[in-house]
Amino acid sequence: MKLYTFDPAPNPQRLKMFIDYKGIELDATQVNFPEGEQRTDAYKAVVPTGTVPALVLDSGRVLSSVFAITQYLEALHPDSPLLGTSEEERALILDWNHRIATDVFKAIADLFRNTNPAFAGRALPGTLDTEQIPALAERGRNQLLHALNIMNDELSSRDYVAGDSFSMADIDLLVSLHFAGWAAKVQPDESLTALSDWRQRAQAALG
Ligand SMILES: N[C@@H](CCC(=O)N[C@@H](CS)C(=O)NCC(=O)O)C(=O)O
């Protein structure tokens, strides 16, 4: 199998933290994002979504989401589990993967991609070229601030996002907070102390 990625981008970062934590060795190629290699016909012939990360399996089939790639790799490498070890844990982690993707990560992406001039004419990742909509940036900011308050409330009663153990849900939130800082210039308010305490704890658990 072969991984196509670009480590500094947020979704590849989620996957890299997962891979490094579990100590998995993979044949990986860095796609030249700054030069738009992900948008070339040559890349799309391999990865039709035109996005990173993507894992090309030995069968030739392509996994183009962090959700699927992590499920697949965890099944192959069960040590240092990040996706849960009981049915309840697995379901809770998946629930938080989904909530963080839609309520936090997507809010930041809406804010970033609808304001940054670098994304004029391509406000969405992938193959659909579309204009920026400034109102989506405003909505993204409101959604993000609301979600950070919710995460603070959630984290005031447990150590990690999905429960008592560090998991992929913590990686998703760590990457999202980093993404919010550089791309949306949003830092969690100082009053969100449970979120800030969790951030230190999760960063330490990551090693
Ligand atoms: N659903 C995909 C999303 C992948 C994605 O949107 N990746 C971004 C980088 S973070 C990308 O490839 N963008 C391509 C572009 O902006 O041209 C996943 O879970 O990995």
Side-chain angles (χ1 to χ4, degrees):
M1 69 182 107
K2 180 161 181 170
L3 177 69
Y4 291 87
T5 193
F6 174 64
D7 284 344
N11 280 301
Q13 260 177 28
R14 290 168 57 213
L15 183 59
K16 182 167 169 34
M17 284 183 186
F18 175 93
I19 287 173
D20 289 351
Y21 182 88
K22 290 173 73 73
I24 299 172
E25 299 282 337
L26 275 182
D27 175 11
T29 293
Q30 296 292 319
V31 176
N32 192 335
F33 237 53
E35 291 190 7
E37 188 186 347
Q38 78 281 12
R39 295 167 57 78
T40 61
D41 289 343
Y43 184 70
K44 286 187 285 185
V46 181
V47 179
T49 54
T51 55
V52 286
L55 187 66
V56 180
L57 306 180
D58 293 341
S59 64
R61 302 292 301 273
V62 181
L63 300 179
S64 58
S65 70
V66 175
F67 287 136
I69 297 171
T70 51
Q71 291 285 338
Y72 185 71
L73 293 177
E74 178 107 331
L76 294 183
H77 304 272
D79 286 352
S80 305
L82 281 171
L83 299 180
T85 53
S86 68
E87 288 309 318
E88 182 168 321
E89 246 182 31
R90 273 192 278 276
L92 282 165
I93 292 167
L94 191 57
D95 196 39
W96 281 105
N97 291 155
H98 180 72
R99 283 183 66 175
I100 292 168
T102 54
D103 300 350
V104 187
F105 195 96
K106 180 70 165 66
I108 304 162
D110 278 348
L111 176 44
F112 183 45
R113 295 204 64 129
N114 287 288
T115 47
N116 192 308
F119 295 111
R122 53 188 206 95
L124 286 171
T127 53
L128 175 66
D129 287 338
T130 184
E131 293 307 320
Q132 293 174 315
I133 302 174
L136 283 179
E138 187 58 29
R139 188 189 71 177
R141 177 180 296 280
N142 292 337
Q143 188 185 18
L144 172 60
L145 296 177
H146 181 64
L148 292 180
N149 278 305
I150 289 175
M151 293 315 306
N152 186 68
D153 290 349
E154 291 282 343
L155 289 162
S156 60
S157 61
R158 58 180 182 273
D159 279 353
Y160 295 104
V161 171
D164 296 333
S165 310
F166 180 78
S167 78
M168 188 62 196
D170 296 287
I171 290 180
D172 288 347
L173 189 57
L174 277 175
V175 170
S176 296
L177 292 189
H178 182 64
F179 185 29
W182 68 262
K185 306 285 178 254
V186 171
Q187 300 292 344
D189 193 87
E190 279 176 14
S191 65
L192 305 182
T193 53
L195 183 61
S196 141
D197 291 350
W198 160 84
R199 194 175 187 175
Q200 288 187 23
R201 199 161 48 241
Q203 199 63 54
L206 194 56

